[in-house]
Amino acid sequence: MGGMSGNAVRVALLGCGTVGSEVVRLLHEQADELAARVGDRVELVGVAVRRPHKHAELGELVTADAAALVTRDDVDVVVEVVGGIEPARTLLLEALKAGKSVVTANKALLADDGATLAEAADSSGADLYYEASVAGAIPLLRPLRESLAGDRITRVAGIVNGTTNFILSAMAASGSSYADALEEATRLGYAEADPSADVDGYDAASKAAILASLAFHTRVTAADVYCEGIRAVTPADIAAAGELGFVIKLIAICERTPAVATQPESVAVRVHPAMIPAAHPLAAVDGAFNAVFVEAEAAGQLMFYGQGAGGAPTASAVLGDLVAVARNRVIGGRGPRESAHANLPVRAMGTVPTRYHVSLDVADRAGVLAGIAGEFAHHGVSIAAVRQTGGRGGGGGDARLVVVTHAAPEAALAATVQVLSGLEAVRGVDSVVRVEDLGRTAPEVGS
Ligand code: NDP
Ligand code: HSE
């Protein structure tokens, strides 16, 4: 092919499962096009897996010795699609120390210790790319890292876990229970045998940490992210959201808060189920799809949407990174380094303003509503709307009371609910779901 130096860019692949097998397929099927785009051929020189006997199709490329592969002299780039913290961290650090560029889809590792990887890349002058780690095929990290590098991002909010979005969408569409929707997600191959990383929100929290780090030029780890999953969401919660013109989604929210008085500028990063306005673009994202809404001072509102998981979609993002690092090798440059210069503090969840939708089972008698309203007032929480259903009016029975608040610090809201749950007139706190307007001009509940 014309213009090529004849020095192929040599790639070692770690992992050949759902994503890795698609990377191998695309590398073979698109070899000529990739060569044209990179300026030299991209050649797979080794594939490390855990059980080589299961990968006979890879022939002599396959090895169980990933540690030897990542430092081999005939390797220029290491692509890691194994997952988990170890041995991936040690393997990638060894690769970077040896001057190899790294492409990884490993959100757990990046959210746990991305800074160490970035420092190792800086020390050796190698590239570290990880587009596939958040929202699969959706080009999102490069827009944050490069296209929006001249802007000031104020919020990133989105649906970044396909499994939980599938479950919540199924519950909303059919009224099915969480357990039934999870079973369907497992049958269709979205949820894994152990679905806890998805349904407990950890997968989304890792992605939120990566998004916040890039958006706010600040190191944020998974441990900084407040995280609640979807196990407690009930069909009644979804129906209650629908009555208000809202839908329930597992949302990752990364926000920058400007400095106020003695409080410095800060960031807050959280993942939890939330009622969002049905008119918000994120509300229309159904099934296993992902979507992320980015707000920047100059650019305004941007939305990124597409397939957030799956072998081929994720491999597309891996290949995009591989072309970028291979090009850098060919022309002798480097991609963007980690940008953590803002070094903003991460706010504790208790100080973050949120809104609650609280559903209570209460005694239906004079003074109960006043007592409950008084507890909200006592904690400095302003009520936006109250609705009572059930009860017989004459006293003695129970009624369902729904209270929707205005925004208040999370700690004040949580303390109010704690006190309410101990009141004699409150038979039970049936559910607490946060309400997020996400900056849209949707009608505020209660106004
Ligand atoms: P799989 O479980 O399908 O594949 C993992 C691969 O890693 C297997 O080939 C396995 O070998 C190999 N492996 C496991 N342990 C080792 C080890 N110690 N040394 C060498 N190889 C090892 O995972 P996925 O392809 O689904 O995910 C890979 C990465 O991509 C993860 O970080 C994941 O979070 C990320 N990702 C995945 C998405 C998806 O939709 N699947 C979407 C976005 C990101 P063997 O085949 O022999 O068992
Ligand atoms: N388990 C993840 C999801 C895969 O459901 O979105 C993509 O990271």
Side-chain angles (χ1 to χ4, degrees):
M1 212 170 284
M4 308 233 173
S5 70
N7 298 319
V9 178
R10 298 157 302 179
V11 177
L13 179 66
L14 308 183
C16 195
T18 304
V19 179
S21 58
E22 288 297 312
V23 170
V24 172
R25 181 178 69 80
L26 293 175
L27 276 174
H28 283 129
E29 287 180 9
Q30 300 180 12
D32 290 342
E33 284 179 57
L34 291 173
R37 290 168 201 168
V38 166
D40 262 317
R41 296 195 76 76
V42 179
E43 187 186 335
L44 189 60
V45 296
V47 182
V49 295
R50 192 174 32 181
R51 300 164 298 175
H53 61 279
K54 298 244 175 197
H55 299 273
E57 74 287 357
L58 294 169
E60 291 187 353
L61 289 179
V62 77
T63 175
D65 193 349
L69 178 62
V70 296
T71 53
R72 248 167 51 182
D73 287 343
D74 67 339
V75 168
D76 301 306
V77 180
V78 172
V79 174
E80 186 264 316
V81 281
V82 170
I85 308 297
E86 288 294 352
R89 177 190 352 230
T90 302
L91 292 169
L92 295 189
L93 286 175
E94 288 303 314
L96 289 165
K97 272 186 212 149
K100 323 292 186 192
S101 292
V102 163
V103 173
T104 176
N106 193 334
K107 60 228 156 186
L109 174 57
L110 289 157
D112 185 66
D113 201 13
T116 304
L117 293 179
E119 281 159 15
D122 276 348
S123 298
S124 65
D127 274 333
L128 172 64
Y129 277 59
Y130 45 93
E131 181 67 62
S133 64
V134 182
I138 306 172
L140 178 59
L141 304 194
R142 199 157 312 168
L144 292 178
R145 193 148 95 147
E146 299 182 35
S147 319
L148 291 166
D151 207 336
R152 205 175 150 76
I153 295 171
T154 50
R155 175 156 51 193
V156 179
I159 295 164
V160 292
N161 183 268
T163 305
T164 47
N165 201 51
F166 177 86
I167 292 171
L168 293 174
S169 301
M171 288 173 73
S174 66
S176 58
S177 68
Y178 164 76
D180 287 347
L182 172 59
E183 201 177 301
E184 192 184 355
T186 309
R187 191 174 54 76
L188 292 172
Y190 294 120
E192 297 184 24
D194 174 5
S196 58
D198 293 316
V199 299
D200 292 326
Y202 305 130
D203 175 81
S206 292
K207 293 165 177 170
I210 295 167
L211 290 172
S213 300
L214 291 173
F216 305 135
H217 304 273
T218 288
R219 284 178 177 168
V220 178
T221 69
D224 296 319
V225 181
Y226 176 82
C227 178
E228 266 179 42
I230 65 163
R231 286 185 201 261
V233 177
T234 64
D237 294 333
I238 290 174
E243 285 167 19
L244 297 171
F246 281 59
V247 297
I248 297 185
K249 296 289 186 188
L250 183 73
I251 302 285
I253 303 173
C254 317
E255 287 168 316
R256 180 202 293 266
T257 308
V260 187
T262 57
Q263 297 296 313
E265 187 178 20
S266 61
V267 300
V269 191
R270 54 201 164 99
V271 168
H272 53 70
M275 294 185 182
I276 63 170
H280 193 282
L282 289 178
V285 177
D286 279 332
F289 278 79
N290 284 189
V292 177
F293 209 72
V294 177
E295 294 175 56
E297 283 180 1
Q301 297 178 325
L302 306 163
M303 183 151 151
F304 300 82
Y305 170 82
Q307 297 192 63
T314 307
S316 164
V318 170
L319 263 286
D321 280 356
L322 182 52
V323 167
V325 303
R327 270 191 198 135
N328 292 343
R329 292 256 154 188
V330 169
I331 63 176
R334 236 198 116 187
R337 295 161 168 227
E338 183 198 28
S339 173
H341 63 87
N343 197 22
L344 300 174
V346 181
R347 293 176 74 172
M349 181 64 180
T351 69
V352 174
T354 58
R355 300 178 62 200
Y356 274 15
H357 174 285
V358 186
S359 180
L360 304 164
D361 182 6
V362 299
D364 184 21
R365 62 168 189 260
V368 169
L369 178 57
I372 288 170
E375 288 302 337
F376 280 95
H378 176 70
H379 288 88
V381 177
S382 173
I383 292 173
V386 179
R387 191 165 65 155
Q388 181 178 320
T389 50
R392 285 170 301 200
D398 281 6
R400 178 170 173 256
L401 192 66
V402 170
V403 179
V404 184
T405 74
H406 287 298
E410 168 75 21
L413 289 161
T416 308
V417 171
Q418 175 77 29
V419 171
L420 292 180
S421 67
L423 294 183
E424 181 274 326
V426 175
R427 313 285 193 227
V429 178
D430 291 339
S431 86
V432 177
V433 184
R434 291 183 188 81
V435 179
E436 293 290 336
D437 295 329
L438 295 173
R440 294 292 283 184
T441 50
E444 160 131 334
V445 179
S447 62

